Amino acid sequence: MNNGVISVIMNMEDRNLVELLAPAGSREALTAAIESGANAVYLAGNMFGARAYADNFDEDGLREAIRTAHLRNVLINVTVNTIIDDQELPALEKYLRFLYEAGADAILVQDLGVARLAREVVPELPLHASTQMTVHNLDGVLALQELGFSRVVLSREVSLENIRHIIDNCNVEIEVFVHGALCVCYSGQCLMSSLIGGRSGNRGRCAQPCRLPYTLVDGEDNNLLGDTAGKYLLSPRDMNTIELLPQLIEAGVASLKIEGRMKRPEYVAIVVNNYRQAIDSYYDGAFQVTEKNRHDLSQIFNRDFTTAYLEKKQGRNMMSDKRPNNRGIMLGRVLEYDRSSGEAILKLADRLSEGDQVDFWVKVGGRVTATVRELKLIKEGKNRNVVPVKCAEAGNMVCFPVDSPVYAHDRAFKVYDQELMDWAKGFYNTGAPVRRVPVDIEVTAAVGEPLVITITDADGNKGNGTTAFIGQEAIKRPLNEDTIKKQVSRLGTSIFELRGLTCRLGDNVMVPISEINEARRAAVENVEKMRLEAFSRKGRVLSVPPKAKKISAGKAPTGITAVVDRLEMVQTALSAGADWIVYGGDSYAHEAITPIQYEKAAYMAHKAGASIAFNTSRIIRDQELPAFHKWLRTVADYGPDAINVHNIGSLSAVKKYTSLPVHTDYSFIVYNHKTLEYLEELGVEAATLSPELNMGQIGELLGESPIPLSCIVDGNLELMVSEYCVTGSFIGGLHTGSCSAPCVNSGKQFFLKDRKDVKFPLVMDQHCHMHVLNGNRLSMLPHAMKLREMGISQLRIEGRYMNNGQLKKTIENYRRYMKYDRDLTEAEKTAATAAEGPGITRGHYFRGVL
């Protein structure tokens, strides 16, 4: 089976203009990645990686992985890209020291607290910003560049045009995803798995609720799509950009990243091998993607393919709404099913072999899966002849047993190709390298001298091996070049292969074969040491500086903050007793908020004796940055008390264009005191804590925090913010190039209803981002006094999804209950429950997350 092995064996170390970065969730996957042509591999240890359910690597495994990769000039980037609890910081410190000393080439981080700790203990270890940091514009990249990051992994939602713009205007490496699974939510911003099932994606334990079925309904529970779409409305297709590689390379992308640390090693081998071939062909001046490349990428795993947002918004064409898992290769349609023999008859659209696995999409009953144990070729004629075969090509008619009934016209897909998988296993299970490093060997020997073997690899590294035996006069068989070549070419399971041999042999010299072999082994060992020396570090790890004593400015009374997006709600919140208003940013009414409205909001707040923070949008595309910067300069004149930001890029912009105080929102994740220390250094004056913290964790942070902290206590929390819009995609015709804006023009409310009939509200902001809200409203009303006693600065109410009456009642209730100086009586608890109403949740306050 010819799958381009020649391309893999080439010395790719000279082709480092763009890095091909592969995933590895196991030792086998690491070997597969290296042998199939990756320039770098990203993987995780047993802690702090965003794929906690992968096999991952223990410390010994990491050391060996790094050594194995470095011998091949392959880099190892270790993912430390989860949010970290204060209790985990000592273990994290130890782990960072280990990674540095073990030779990891970089760490990927999400949590700014992790970045700060890494700078304190291993300042020479390169930092890469994980896609979990939601860096989606130039402001974010430049901010991280200023903080010392050497590479930024962009959000998958960034277009090719904006990638070019970012690269042209920054001095850090840019890494982009090119193949594999897509998240429907901006990575690092998803709380859906966390709040529904307690498994946090930010902690590496996402349960993938986006791959479950949902129904799009309106406020009257009407199914708005019927049979015009599938049920998997949040399930994207897989990314496949192999055809766009020239554009990505020419844009200046430093690293092309393949997703898949949860995938099997065969997947890694096949995807890396095919991308390696395409990249090689580009640098050879004749870029091509063959039908074989396309076929193998589809066969190994696909949910259908998309280029996501690189070229344009694709609407429904980006979604795998009919099937959330691997669909394989279309094999054909069932011609008939013989119930007596239990055999299905198909006319093949692709090759089929014994051992392959076939999925039938049956009209009734969902899916039937069959492994081909016995295959027969049907030859049409006067009499239909059936011939047992091992395989059959496309165009042939075949039959094979299927345990459950299937029906005429049912589609069949080959989801497992035995031959392809066996070939892929050759990249990691043979015990010998596939992709070898060419070496030149020189052997000198003479009577009265030891035999010396010098190995020089393709990078110029040299290693010598010398025999203890001194050359003697040969009695029968003197050494010759053939004998030498036979022994020194036995490089076995080392990474080397003989390219050239030079022998300098004296007359009639004899050295025992065992001595030659020992010298060869020593030379191999020494050249390996030289190769590893290129990755050695001369720096040292540092001690963490002692924690600065917190300087308390005195305990201010706890206030109430209302987050709103309409002027009438500003007035409602103020009349109900809100101390702070967070106004603007993303409008749930899909309306642009003008500067004059911000000016009015500030006037209203200050007239009422309250403070106001102007909110910013969670997502700001590059083409929107000039307007955002102008807005900052404009609204600064209106006298807001702070600007509320959601990401590192917006924080940087506020500091650059204004002198206003900065507050960070919950989407700017704060989960440990290291992050709070870093935010204070960056000029942040107050922060809203992550809603994934529990009461105990919040109490600990309050004791450590150098800045005031707020907690969200009420409202329908945002579970996702997405560049994809389900209503625009499936009702608005977005895939045609424009959207009819049903979110505005239909007058309807929209919801996604899950299998348990829970409805998740959908709101679309003025920038056409979809926000998926929790169907159950967070409420901490009966516990308001506890949060006050803990020292929370502000109890925050998310009011944008409330009407004026709900907002007024909610603020008044918190104003009343937070004043209690004791736990509630049973009667008061009953009254609080009645005041809260139905369908509420306590979030993570009393359970926390995994």
Side-chain angles (χ1 to χ4, degrees), residues 88-133:
E88 298 169 317
L89 287 173
L92 173 63
E93 179 187 341
K94 181 180 178 182
Y95 183 58
L96 291 173
R97 295 175 189 276
F98 161 75
L99 291 177
Y100 180 80
E101 291 167 346
D105 296 288
I107 56 170
L108 287 91
V109 304
Q110 171 186 14
D111 190 328
L112 279 179
V114 176
R116 177 186 167 89
L117 183 61
R119 279 288 164 259
E120 290 174 344
V121 299
V122 285
E124 295 181 19
L125 182 59
L127 285 176
H128 293 180
S130 168
T131 190
Q132 291 288 117
M133 289 192 84

Side-chain angles (χ1 to χ4, degrees), residues 333-337 345 361 363 405-411:
R333 289 185 180 269
V334 175
L335 298 177
E336 60 182 275
Y337 178 73
I345 299 175
W361 293 19
K363 296 178 180 64
V406 294
Y407 304 91
H409 306 298
D410 284 346
R411 287 182 294 171

Side-chain angles (χ1 to χ4, degrees), residues 766-782:
Q766 70 271 38
H767 306 294
C768 293
H769 293 115
M770 179 180 72
H771 303 257
V772 181
L773 309 185
N774 198 358
N776 294 317
R777 197 185 92 246
L778 174 68
S779 174
M780 284 294 287
L781 185 61

Side-chain angles (χ1 to χ4, degrees), residues 716-760:
N716 295 79
L717 285 179
E718 288 192 13
L719 303 182
M720 291 185 179
V721 57
S722 180
E723 198 71 21
Y724 156 77
C725 173
V726 65
T727 58
S729 296
F730 287 94
I731 298 177
L734 186 57
H735 62 287
T736 65
S738 62
C739 180
S740 63
C743 59
V744 175
N745 298 325
S746 69
K748 294 179 179 290
Q749 287 185 301
F750 297 99
F751 303 83
L752 288 175
K753 185 169 72 171
D754 71 8
R755 300 169 300 169
K756 298 180 180 179
D757 290 334
V758 176
K759 293 181 182 178
F760 299 92

Side-chain angles (χ1 to χ4, degrees), residues 34 85 158 162 201 208 248 305 312 349 357 453 464 467 480 494 542 545 556 612 672 676 682 729 820 850:
I34 293 171
D85 169 59
V158 180
N162 287 345
Q208 294 193 309
L248 290 164
F305 285 132
K312 61 180 181 179
Q357 190 176 92
I453 297 177
N464 293 325
T467 62
N480 58 45
S494 78
L542 304 176
I612 187 167
N672 58 67
L676 287 167
L682 296 174
S729 296
Y820 279 84
L850 293 175

Side-chain angles (χ1 to χ4, degrees), residues 374-391:
E374 181 183 353
L375 183 63
K376 299 174 184 176
L377 183 65
I378 300 174
K379 295 185 176 181
E380 292 282 14
K382 267 189 176 182
N383 297 310
R384 181 180 280 185
N385 294 321
V386 178
V387 180
V389 292
K390 294 294 184 183
C391 64

